[in-house]
Amino acid sequence: MRSVVKTPLMVTGGFRSLAGMNAALQSGALDVVGIARLMAIDPDAPEALLSGRDSNQEVRPISTGIKPIDRMGLMEILWYTRQLKRIVRGGNPNPNESGLWAFLSSVVNIGWGTYRTKRLRA
Ligand SMILES: Cc1cc2nc3c(=O)[nH]c(=O)nc-3n(C[C@H](O)[C@H](O)[C@H](O)COP(=O)(O)O)c2cc1C
């Protein structure tokens, strides 16, 4: 991409450590490191990284422990969206939230939302 892109190049995805980010920048392959999931569990991560420290949170695979659910491939979006919503509401993300709890609680919330909408329409 570097050879064809003339504007500053930002790459997001898979950056986990300060050393890895610095190595990528120093290689000249990119100009800006983007981080996504880490920000959802540690909104202060950029401050730590820019101060020369790794975040004390770690992006990890999200699983309910129930294979057919995990295979649907929705857990990452569902779980990280819940953490982002906590931040938006003025709270803190919960990096230790169980995948199974997040799934069950989302199913209940969606069910309740559908029930309420139907009652309002009736
Ligand atoms: C909750 C959530 C929502 C996302 N929404 C988008 C999106 O709308 N468009 C997009 O291009 N990528 C989206 N992504 C992917 C991220 O931008 C990013 O490419 C991916 O998480 C890999 O970066 P990371 O390893 O730093 O998390 C989303 C990821 C998550 C976890």
Side-chain angles (χ1 to χ4, degrees):
M1 279 184 74
R2 171 59 92 197
S3 60
V4 291
V5 172
K6 303 289 173 240
T7 54
L9 185 60
M10 175 170 162
V11 177
T12 303
F15 287 105
R16 297 287 174 264
S17 67
L18 179 63
M21 293 176 203
N22 278 334
L25 289 168
Q26 279 157 18
S27 76
L30 52 106
D31 302 298
V32 182
V33 166
I35 50 174
R37 285 168 292 177
L38 183 59
M39 289 281 287
I41 51 175
D42 179 11
D44 296 326
E47 191 186 353
L49 292 164
L50 291 170
S51 308
R53 289 177 282 116
D54 271 311
S55 161
N56 49 23
Q57 296 300 331
E58 204 177 324
V59 170
R60 59 187 172 86
I62 305 299
S63 161
T64 61
I66 302 170
K67 281 189 181 146
I69 296 176
D70 292 343
R71 272 196 225 110
M72 290 192 293
L74 52 79
M75 281 313 297
E76 293 272 315
I77 294 287
L78 183 149
W79 191 91
Y80 282 99
T81 299
R82 284 170 65 84
Q83 310 316 319
L84 291 169
K85 281 184 179 168
R86 286 200 168 90
I87 298 169
V88 169
R89 292 185 190 121
N92 292 315
N94 177 6
N96 298 318
E97 184 170 63
S98 124
L100 182 58
W101 169 254
F103 176 77
L104 293 175
S105 144
S106 298
V107 168
V108 169
N109 283 342
I110 292 165
W112 175 240
T114 308
Y115 171 74
R116 278 190 57 197
T117 311
K118 272 192 181 162
R119 274 191 15 170
L120 287 173
R121 280 200 198 123

CSV table of all heavy atoms in Angstrom, one decimal, residues 24 66 71 73-74:
chain,number,residue,atom,x,y,z
A,24,ALA,N,6.4,-1.0,14.0
A,24,ALA,CA,5.7,-0.7,12.8
A,24,ALA,C,6.0,0.7,12.3
A,24,ALA,O,6.2,0.9,11.1
A,24,ALA,CB,4.2,-1.0,13.0
A,66,ILE,N,-19.9,-21.6,24.6
A,66,ILE,CA,-20.8,-22.5,23.9
A,66,ILE,C,-20.5,-22.4,22.4
A,66,ILE,O,-20.7,-21.4,21.8
A,66,ILE,CB,-22.3,-22.1,24.2
A,66,ILE,CG1,-22.5,-22.1,25.7
A,66,ILE,CG2,-23.3,-22.9,23.5
A,66,ILE,CD1,-23.8,-21.5,26.2
A,71,ARG,N,-19.5,-19.8,17.2
A,71,ARG,CA,-19.3,-19.9,15.8
A,71,ARG,C,-20.1,-18.9,14.9
A,71,ARG,O,-19.8,-18.7,13.8
A,71,ARG,CB,-19.6,-21.4,15.3
A,71,ARG,CG,-18.4,-22.3,15.5
A,71,ARG,CD,-18.7,-23.6,14.7
A,71,ARG,NE,-18.3,-24.7,15.5
A,71,ARG,CZ,-19.1,-25.6,16.0
A,71,ARG,NH1,-20.4,-25.5,15.8
A,71,ARG,NH2,-18.7,-26.6,16.8
A,73,GLY,N,-20.0,-15.9,15.2
A,73,GLY,CA,-19.1,-14.8,14.9
A,73,GLY,C,-19.7,-13.4,15.3
A,73,GLY,O,-19.3,-12.4,14.8
A,74,LEU,N,-20.6,-13.4,16.3
A,74,LEU,CA,-21.1,-12.1,16.7
A,74,LEU,C,-20.6,-11.6,18.0
A,74,LEU,O,-20.9,-10.5,18.4
A,74,LEU,CB,-22.7,-12.2,16.7
A,74,LEU,CG,-23.4,-13.3,17.5
A,74,LEU,CD1,-23.4,-13.0,19.0
A,74,LEU,CD2,-24.8,-13.4,17.0
